[in-house]
Amino acid sequence: MNWLFWALFAIILIFALTALTGAPYVPSKTSELRLAFKNLYKLSPKDLLVDLGSGDGVVLKVASDCGARSFGVEINPFLVLLTKIRFARDKKVQIRCGNLFKIDFPAETTVVYVFGDDRDIKGMTSAIQKQANKLGRDLFVVSHGFQIPVLKPVKKYRAYFLYKIKS
């Protein structure tokens, strides 16, 4: 029984520490995501979506269901493990444990999904801009809940905003 206490303690500690270093874990609703992508950016098999702070992989799943490939970056190792188990058979979904500010996007990236609070959205935008420059192409960004203060949205749907970051 002692191991159960320590296991739960470790999981709670991991979630608390990741909440301090980034946006807290907030599960996304699949139905809302499907509508957002339908109305803002229609994912296709030509797309590779990068999800910065991919949590339990709901955005990765929606992207895969739309035919797109997806690449998640998550700092919480428990959520990375959960996502790896969940999508072990889906070859279109990849996940990496890491800091979203320090990871390189795959060369085929076309769209980036972010859920960041006011504290992090500027840094996320700067990181995406660096990646767009490095890749030599414009990237679309879907932001849930938070506007990017230095950019004008291309489109808006409910709490979702679509931006285009030029390389």
Side-chain angles (χ1 to χ4, degrees):
M1 194 62 151
N2 195 16
W3 67 269
L4 181 59
F5 168 79
W6 289 109
L8 289 173
F9 177 76
I11 290 170
I12 291 168
L13 183 63
I14 288 170
F15 275 89
L17 289 174
T18 55
L20 292 174
T21 60
Y25 169 66
V26 180
S28 299
K29 292 184 179 180
T30 303
S31 59
E32 282 293 314
L33 283 167
R34 288 183 198 286
L35 288 171
F37 283 117
K38 179 181 176 186
N39 287 286
L40 291 178
Y41 186 97
K42 294 182 193 259
L43 290 167
S44 76
K46 296 177 183 177
D47 289 305
L48 189 146
L49 176 137
V50 172
D51 183 4
L52 299 179
S54 58
D56 61 1
V58 171
V59 175
L60 305 176
K61 169 83 168 109
V62 170
S64 179
D65 289 348
C66 292
R69 292 170 294 137
S70 57
F71 179 83
V73 180
E74 175 57 51
I75 199 166
N76 183 325
F78 178 75
L79 291 173
V80 171
L81 179 61
L82 177 70
T83 302
K84 283 187 179 202
I85 292 168
R86 184 176 179 194
F87 299 109
R89 295 183 182 166
D90 190 339
K91 301 301 179 204
K92 292 185 288 186
V93 175
Q94 293 182 336
I95 179 80
R96 182 170 299 155
C97 189
N99 182 326
L100 63 91
F101 297 108
K102 297 179 181 178
I103 199 157
D104 286 333
F105 293 179
E108 306 85 19
T109 303
T110 55
V111 61
V112 180
Y113 181 89
V114 296
F115 172 76
D117 57 19
D118 290 332
R119 168 186 70 178
D120 293 328
I121 200 74
K122 288 180 187 175
M124 289 174 152
T125 305
S126 177
I128 297 166
Q129 181 66 67
K130 286 178 186 173
Q131 292 298 313
N133 293 343
K134 185 174 185 175
L135 295 172
R137 83 161 75 69
D138 299 347
L139 295 174
F140 285 93
V141 178
V142 176
S143 176
H144 179 211
F146 295 91
Q147 292 189 48
I148 298 174
V150 295
L151 297 175
K152 183 178 177 184
V154 175
K155 288 183 184 177
K156 181 182 185 294
Y157 176 76
R158 297 186 181 173
Y160 295 87
F161 303 89
L162 177 68
Y163 298 93
K164 186 174 187 178
I165 294 186
K166 298 187 181 275
S167 63

